[in-house]
Amino acid sequence: MLILILIPLLAGIITAFLRGENAKKIAFGFALTEFAVSLYYVANFNSTQGLQFVTNVPWIKTLGINFYVGVDGISILLVLLTTLLVPFIILSTWGKDYKNPATFSALILFMESALVGVFTAQDAFLYYLFWEAALIPVYFLAAIWGGENRIQVTFKFFIYTVFGSLFMLISLIYLYLQTPLPHTADIAAYTKLNLTPEVQSYLFWGLFIAFAIKMPIFPFHTWQPDTYTIAPTPATMLLSGIMLKMGIYSLFRWLLPIVPKGVEMWATPVIILAIIGIVYGAIIAIRQQDMKRLLAYSSFSHVGLMAAGVFCLNAQALQGALVQMLAHGINVVGLFYVVELIYQRTNSRQINELGGITQTTPILTVYFTILLLGSVALPLTNGFVGEFLLLSGLFQKNVWLAAVAGLTIIFGAVYMLRMFQGVMFGEKTEHTQNIKDLSLTENLVLLPLVILVFWIGMYPSTFLNLTEPAVQAMLKAITK
């Protein structure tokens, strides 16, 4: 796994010294190489054998801190999602005149390196380091290339995240000091600590606040719509497609196994908060005119369902949350890209200023339709698998909570179809008079994403088989 952290890191350094459009092409080549290497790891991964492809070498020996990375069935899915989406995100910058493209591409690669680090770290200090490192590139992407009020919005995002990280750091230091002498930051040592239920309760909130802000779930979400809207679209794709998965992944890796009693005590209140977010986010999405802002609230609503599923603590819901992370990443990256394409052609993202686009863009219409159907969880698409498993798991936990959470399907269809109808059908407006269909590069971005929508929807076992043994092992460990 070390090589998957180093490739984008070195690629980012090289790309930063290049000039002009060549930087994008070199960055894309490195991102494709990273994806190919990750496929090698996935092909050679044995889901029944726990942690694999391990690198564990002493780093700060006197403090018991190691450079310790590896993957199990849960983390390899997130590594695959990251390496899969980054090439599409870099490709989406082609044809768009971003100032200083070398720095722009380098920041994306630096972020990829940090994200892979978060998903593979088995040492608490290393995990915290990568967690913070992932924040820096997206901060600069939004602050330098963002839209109106970008400084205020990114400052708010930065303060929110740092605030959450402080709680996490205090919790990790406490756990570190509870390990036997000589102390260690190894996550396996943290899971073996004999912590009282009261201590686990405090640690639960210390860790959970950081993860809840990053996802985000209600009421820790207020940074998200503004940041998603003002950030340049590639940064929004990074945030929504991959970065928000850091929070949900961390629930699996750093919350459930370390403080299971704390999770048991607070699971129901957290599920209720998550479900409030599902309904609240969906209702606000219905009222939006800006398509990018609509997708931001849609993402907030979807992530609430994933978070609720994690705290159900049953196999169906946990499996559902994992496959839904993959599906949501693909759908939301594709949809944000479609919105960006429409904006580039019309100079507007307002639903009431658009219309009639489908008359001259049949290919764009097909891609938009498929990604939209995946997002609203139509059977045989990727969104259906995750939502079915999540709602099934919630049903086992509490029928009424499942019924309310199930409103996400109805609300999702309402705001997505309202957007599609307003933008694609009806009479053309002054903004859509001369709109053209997709170029070859734009097809290269969207076609693979659309294929994945059907692949995950029709053959979910490809991915569920990767995660199932790890999920079962984790459930067995936390419920013993």
Side-chain angles (χ1 to χ4, degrees), residues 1 8 67-68 96 133 145 180 203 230 239 260 341 470-471:
M1 280 297 122
F67 194 97
Y68 183 16
K96 177 76 175 177
W145 288 274
L203 288 171
I230 66 96
L239 277 164
L341 293 177
V471 166

Side-chain angles (χ1 to χ4, degrees), residues 148-201:
E148 194 176 351
N149 298 324
R150 59 185 181 275
I151 300 301
Q152 296 93 322
V153 172
T154 48
F155 181 71
K156 181 181 178 182
F157 164 64
F158 186 80
I159 292 299
Y160 251 97
T161 307
V162 170
F163 177 76
S165 298
L166 178 62
F167 281 92
M168 180 168 70
L169 179 61
I170 293 169
S171 303
L172 293 177
I173 290 174
Y174 178 86
L175 287 164
Y176 171 80
L177 294 175
Q178 300 311 303
T179 58
L181 290 171
H183 296 306
T184 175
D186 187 339
I187 186 176
Y190 289 5
T191 61
K192 294 172 185 171
L193 292 174
N194 188 22
L195 302 169
T196 66
E198 186 181 16
V199 169
Q200 290 199 32
S201 176

Side-chain angles (χ1 to χ4, degrees), residues 377-398:
L378 190 79
L380 300 182
T381 64
N382 56 357
F384 176 78
V385 180
E387 288 204 3
F388 178 81
L389 288 169
L390 283 165
L391 292 174
S392 171
L394 263 172
F395 190 86
Q396 293 178 42
K397 177 78 176 177
N398 185 294

